[in-house]
Amino acid sequence: MPQLKNSLIFVAAASVGALSLAGCSTMGGTPAAGGTASAGGAQAKTAAVIKGLDNPFFQSMEEGIKAADGSITVQAAQDITDTSGQADRLSSLAGQDYNCFIINPISGNNLLQGLAQVKAAGKTVVNIDSPVDPKAATAANATPDTYIGTDNVSAGKLAGEQMAKLVKGGEKVAVIGGIAGDVTSGDRVSGFTEGLAGKAKVLETVSADWDRQVALTKAGDLLRSNPDIKGFFVANDVMGLGVARAVANAGMTGKVAIISVDGVPEGLKGVESGELTATVAQYPYAIGEMGAQACKAAAAGQKLPASVEAPVALVTKDNVGEALKAAPAPFAPYENPFKK
């Protein structure tokens, strides 16, 4: 896939069952103040259940939801392991008078019971970012009406293609993944390897649990055992900044390329400062905004597409100024089927 400096690269959400995103969480929520009138006179009274608001990715997602409709109730799980707590929040909301639900599940099946209740009541479900397992959803009669998200394989591929420009043939590149076995992390890593196209020697993936401190420790260990590492691919920006600290501690800043994924504000600032070489920016703000707009469209009687692509962009020193200026929104136009 070609690299674009000043425009977004769009990727299809091609395999709903293959996408997910890990993150840390705290509970959050704002009560709904009433519905939003749609063009057809219907009311879109919406509730959202997302991952944790201590993670900047999901903070940005909430911002996008609220920008589209400030009356939406937003609740979040306590942390990345709080699958039952997140499910309880949805189940509690499901019995109330909302007609549309935006969901960002921790796992592919932890919200199925609540979703089945929502769908049995004939309400709309908009699945964003982390998909519900399609087979389990079908079995539970809990299939969402639409899915909005990015393709993590393609995001990883952008990072791999960029790394291939920065290293010489045969040089060592380390990979720091999220939680072992996590689909999002695996997709990003496999996409990275594909994009790198054999240009470098890729070391075995090390899991750092989506945690900055763990990534710092693991990267430090890798640098001590492989002082000739020339690059790191890191599955999210938070861990990427931990890796950057390990590289700095080793006195190797500027000598080791670090490319991560997410494009959260702190990650963009890391690119600006030179701590990170690049980040593949996803846009949780746009994903959240489109989720809210999908609920409005459904209330207006519009048929929702089965899946919607979300934008990603490679951000480097060359275009980070544009990205920061527009943050948390995308810095270039992108296709949004719900905007009209």
Side-chain angles (χ1 to χ4, degrees), residues 26-319:
T26 57
M27 182 177 178
T30 306
T36 299
S38 74
Q43 296 289 320
K45 188 173 181 182
T46 303
V49 178
I50 64 174
K51 295 181 187 175
L53 300 178
D54 64 335
N55 185 308
F57 188 92
F58 303 112
Q59 291 171 11
S60 184
M61 181 180 290
E62 184 191 37
E63 255 187 276
I65 291 170
K66 289 291 190 178
D69 184 349
S71 74
I72 293 178
T73 295
V74 180
Q75 293 193 4
Q78 289 285 356
D79 56 47
I80 191 59
T81 66
D82 187 30
T83 53
S84 60
Q86 190 189 40
D88 288 343
R89 286 164 177 75
L90 178 59
S91 293
S92 177
L93 292 167
Q96 300 180 40
D97 63 341
Y98 300 102
N99 53 27
C100 189
F101 289 80
I102 302 167
I103 55 124
N104 174 222
I106 290 174
S107 74
N109 57 22
N110 75 298
L111 298 183
L112 284 178
Q113 184 175 349
L115 289 180
Q117 183 180 349
V118 168
K119 293 299 294 180
K123 299 177 181 181
T124 301
V125 174
V126 176
N127 182 191
I128 61 173
D129 183 52
S130 302
V132 175
D133 181 87
K135 291 182 179 179
T138 298
N141 294 317
T143 300
D145 294 275
T146 189
Y147 171 76
I148 303 166
T150 57
D151 184 333
N152 285 296
V153 174
S154 293
K157 186 176 180 181
L158 284 177
E161 290 171 345
Q162 182 67 10
M163 185 68 79
K165 298 177 181 179
L166 303 175
V167 298
K168 297 177 182 177
E171 290 182 332
K172 290 182 182 178
V173 172
V175 176
I176 303 288
I179 296 171
D182 180 78
V183 175
T184 293
S185 178
D187 284 350
R188 292 178 183 180
V189 170
S190 64
F192 173 77
T193 304
E194 181 184 348
L196 193 59
K199 180 70 181 292
K201 180 182 178 182
V202 180
L203 303 180
E204 185 176 353
T205 300
V206 174
S207 298
D209 302 334
W210 305 109
D211 183 272
R212 184 190 308 240
Q213 186 61 42
V214 176
L216 189 162
T217 300
K218 295 292 182 71
D221 293 343
L222 283 166
L223 287 166
R224 282 186 287 275
S225 58
N226 298 275
D228 54 345
I229 285 175
K230 296 299 180 182
F232 278 91
F233 170 66
V234 193
N236 77 355
D237 287 346
V238 170
M239 294 190 299
L241 292 165
V243 171
R245 174 50 53 192
V247 169
N249 290 345
M252 299 175 71
T253 299
K255 299 176 183 178
V256 178
I258 305 170
I259 302 177
S260 55
V261 180
D262 270 353
V264 297
E266 193 178 8
L268 297 177
K269 290 176 183 176
V271 174
E272 183 183 45
S273 68
E275 293 174 90
L276 299 178
T277 308
T279 183
V280 179
Q282 296 186 94
Y283 287 97
Y285 180 95
I287 293 171
E289 184 178 47
M290 286 194 285
Q293 290 169 343
C295 283
K296 290 183 180 182
Q302 297 176 28
K303 183 178 179 180
L304 301 182
S307 64
V308 177
E309 62 183 29
V312 296
L314 177 70
V315 179
T316 67
K317 272 280 194 180
D318 294 332
N319 59 8

